[in-house]
Amino acid sequence: MDRNPSPPSSDTEEEAAVADDSIGNTVYSKHWLFSVLTKLIEVISPKKGDSELNNVDVQVELDEDMENDICKVWDMSMDKDVALFLQEFKAPDIFMGVFAKSKCHRLTEICVGILGNMACCQNICVSISKDENLGQLVLQRLCDSDPPTLLETSRLLLTCLCHPEVASIWVERIRGSPSVYDCVCFIMSSSTNVELLVKVGEVVDKLFDLDEELMLNWIKSGSHKAAGQPTDDSPEELPDFEIVPCLLEAAKQVCSDNNIEGLDVYMHILQLLTTVDEGIQAIVQTTDGGKETWNLLHNVFCNELCQPDDPPIIVQEQKTVLASILSVLSAIVASQMKKEYVRIGKNMPLIVSLIRVLQNLEECGKRSADGSKEEKLEESEEDFHLKILKDICCELLSNMIQELSKENILEGLKQGHINEQKCSCAFQHLLPFYFTSVESFFEVLREADQTLADTLEKRFPSLKLQT
């Protein structure tokens, strides 16, 4: 059975009987929708004879018919005319009652989902966002213990954050709600629901991209405890959270699920952290000195992405996640080069992978040059992102090769990691901008393999002139 059953049939007798019963230009019935919303009001309204004590929370379980009907409304709400009609009928106010009173997770999930669909309409999104009471109730749903409700809440928040007209309202609201930090960190550090982790990651990514101040606040927040009274659905006690370990836990989970979309999201969040000094310090000043971050990204880059048997065009599909990973690795190298985990043992696989990326970029460049004018115009934006990847790749490679010792190079030669083809590719991309790094590497290479050095010297005369 589908999670969201199809909307009511367009050929029912009720719809045919009254022409003005249709909602806007749709075939959906106004009277049917009224009846469902009326039932929803009855579900969350206190019954006669109930005491005030019993009215504080309304505990309900949806019967099958009610669930089917409200799910049909969920489906229908994707239509703009239906969404506007729901807004006119004050549906958001009804949902507020659900959020405040109902303990039925399924009902809450559906109502948040409907609100999320409605928010796709700009005018409705503005109205929803400006309602402070509704906004606070939505944020409280992030403390819910129900993964489907958390997923729909995250979708709703992301939809609102993607509307420029109201994004600042939500950023300010979240900044003033310390519980959001704790709840988001709790989800990232403990959830195994990859779909939820991806969506929560997208919310965090959007927040950090929109507001650096909020990102700085979250970086500095060792722990924020929820303001006001906690909701019944929120975890009773949350541990002290630091943003980087939580991001790493979520990244490991989406990576284990081979979810490239989620990996891309979390790598970009880490990249955003490295755009401020506080973010870099948050990464390298963890209890292990940044080793866990390095190991995770190093493993993903060297063992998961852009592998030897992948076609060169794979670099285009992976360009954004590759650029994010390399940016973070580069930031760690710049500040932690003296750390053992950066300097020894793992340099060569990283260097080999960097050269492989450059080789694939070369192949993509050749194909682009052979294309038609129309194809070249279409690929201009693509080329821009690939250029960013190339620049980041070259910067990191230049920093890595100049640290190689004679012993490192001898071992690389023995294992086949260093040869004429790979050195030529590296030199071609690094010269002349990273001449000092290349020169430093070349001097050590000459000591390790005079024959290879002489061959490369003929192809790159600038090295001979400087030696």
Side-chain angles (χ1 to χ4, degrees):
M1 179 178 177
D2 292 337
R3 186 173 185 79
N4 302 322
S6 300
S9 174
S10 61
D11 57 0
T12 63
E13 293 181 3
E14 290 184 4
E15 292 172 334
V18 185
D20 62 357
D21 186 41
S22 296
I23 299 173
N25 294 322
T26 74
V27 294
Y28 303 130
S29 167
K30 293 179 182 177
H31 288 88
W32 180 87
L33 187 55
F34 273 134
S35 68
V36 176
L37 292 177
T38 300
K39 291 178 186 177
L40 182 57
I41 294 173
E42 292 174 352
V43 166
I44 62 172
S45 297
K47 297 178 181 179
K48 292 182 179 180
D50 284 348
S51 66
E52 287 190 10
L53 181 61
N54 292 331
N55 290 345
V56 175
D57 291 308
V58 178
Q59 179 111 28
V60 295
E61 290 294 335
L62 288 178
D63 61 46
E64 186 176 349
D65 290 338
M66 183 61 187
E67 181 172 349
N68 287 339
D69 285 345
I70 196 67
C71 278
K72 291 173 184 177
V73 176
W74 191 358
D75 256 3
M76 292 164 57
S77 63
M78 290 187 291
D79 187 287
K80 183 178 179 180
D81 286 337
V82 175
L84 291 170
F85 186 77
L86 286 168
Q87 175 75 358
E88 183 180 347
F89 192 75
K90 306 295 184 184
D93 291 341
I94 300 175
F95 299 151
M96 284 178 63
V98 172
F99 301 156
K101 297 180 179 180
S102 175
K103 288 186 177 180
C104 176
H105 291 311
R106 179 62 171 151
L107 179 60
T108 303
E109 173 204 354
I110 296 170
C111 290
V112 178
I114 295 172
L115 201 59
N117 285 347
M118 294 174 64
C120 294
C121 178
Q122 180 176 332
N123 292 337
I124 297 177
C125 186
V126 171
S127 176
I128 291 172
S129 300
K130 289 184 177 179
D131 188 327
E132 185 61 29
N133 291 330
L134 179 57
Q136 290 300 331
L137 285 172
V138 168
L139 293 185
Q140 287 178 18
R141 290 305 93 213
L142 286 174
C143 296
D144 206 296
S145 60
D146 181 52
T149 299
L150 291 170
L151 178 59
E152 294 308 320
T153 303
S154 300
R155 282 176 173 157
L156 170 58
L157 287 174
L158 185 62
T159 298
C160 294
L161 289 170
C162 288
H163 278 284
E165 298 84 356
V166 300
S168 60
I169 295 176
W170 285 98
V171 169
E172 188 65 30
R173 184 174 288 144
I174 291 171
R175 194 189 299 155
S177 302
S179 61
V180 173
Y181 171 85
D182 278 320
C183 292
V184 167
C185 285
F186 181 75
I187 294 169
M188 293 192 300
S189 62
S190 62
S191 178
T192 58
N193 186 319
V194 172
E195 187 179 10
L196 172 59
L197 288 173
V198 173
K199 195 58 60 178
V200 168
E202 289 176 342
V203 171
V204 175
D205 189 34
K206 190 66 178 178
L207 283 170
F208 285 4
D209 194 40
L210 285 170
D211 193 79
E212 185 176 293
E213 181 182 346
L214 184 143
M215 181 173 71
L216 288 169
N217 288 342
W218 282 24
I219 290 172
K220 298 172 183 177
S221 296
S223 176
H224 274 321
K225 295 308 172 186
Q229 295 297 320
T231 64
D232 292 334
D233 290 323
S234 64
E236 292 182 3
E237 291 186 10
L238 293 175
D240 291 349
F241 290 115
E242 293 182 12
I243 189 67
V244 173
C246 295
L247 291 170
L248 293 180
E249 282 302 312
K252 285 187 284 187
Q253 190 66 45
V254 298
C255 189
S256 66
D257 195 61
N258 295 317
N259 190 304
I260 189 68
E261 176 190 4
L263 183 62
D264 197 350
V265 169
Y266 280 96
M267 294 304 100
H268 189 255
I269 297 174
L270 288 171
Q271 181 185 4
L272 286 175
L273 292 184
T274 64
T275 61
V276 294
D277 290 339
E278 293 86 346
I280 296 175
Q281 294 306 310
I283 292 173
V284 301
Q285 290 185 358
T286 51
T287 55
D288 61 3
K291 184 177 180 179
E292 185 178 359
T293 305
W294 175 272
N295 287 344
L296 174 63
L297 273 60
H298 184 281
N299 178 65
V300 170
F301 178 60
C302 296
N303 301 320
E304 303 291 339
L305 302 176
C306 202
Q307 293 302 290
D309 55 348
D310 288 335
I313 198 171
I314 195 71
V315 75
Q316 292 184 325
E317 299 176 12
Q318 300 175 350
K319 59 185 180 296
T320 56
V321 66
L322 285 171
S324 295
I325 289 175
L326 296 183
S327 290
V328 179
L329 289 176
S330 185
I332 295 176
V333 167
S335 62
Q336 300 288 88
M337 181 57 84
K338 294 183 179 180
K339 290 288 186 179
E340 182 177 343
Y341 69 83
V342 174
R343 294 189 63 190
I344 56 178
K346 297 183 179 180
N347 281 359
M348 197 56 67
L350 178 56
I351 291 171
V352 170
S353 294
L354 290 169
I355 294 175
R356 185 184 304 128
V357 170
L358 292 176
Q359 290 173 326
N360 287 345
L361 287 171
E362 281 183 2
E363 289 298 319
C364 291
K366 291 176 183 177
R367 294 184 183 185
S368 178
D370 294 337
S372 64
K373 291 182 178 180
E374 291 77 11
E375 291 174 332
K376 291 178 181 178
L377 288 173
E378 292 176 0
E379 293 171 351
S380 59
E381 183 176 351
E382 184 86 8
D383 290 342
F384 173 74
H385 290 291
L386 291 177
K387 184 180 184 303
I388 291 176
L389 173 58
K390 176 186 172 182
D391 290 344
I392 296 172
C393 189
C394 287
E395 180 182 1
L396 179 55
L397 180 60
S398 70
N399 286 329
M400 299 302 293
I401 64 171
Q402 67 180 344
E403 295 295 323
L404 291 178
S405 66
K406 180 179 178 180
E407 289 71 23
N408 295 147
I409 292 178
L410 286 171
E411 182 63 24
L413 290 166
K414 179 180 178 181
Q415 298 294 330
H417 296 322
I418 296 177
N419 56 36
E420 180 184 349
Q421 182 187 22
K422 292 175 181 177
C423 287
S424 294
C425 177
F427 291 0
Q428 180 178 334
H429 289 281
L430 294 179
L431 294 172
F433 300 106
Y434 297 97
F435 180 84
T436 302
S437 296
V438 173
E439 182 184 40
S440 175
F441 167 78
F442 190 72
E443 289 177 357
V444 183
L445 176 64
R446 184 184 294 279
E447 297 177 16
D449 190 328
Q450 181 68 50
T451 302
L452 177 57
D454 290 343
T455 302
L456 291 169
E457 192 175 70
K458 293 177 182 177
R459 184 168 181 181
F460 299 94
S462 60
L463 295 174
K464 182 177 181 180
L465 293 175
Q466 299 295 327
T467 57

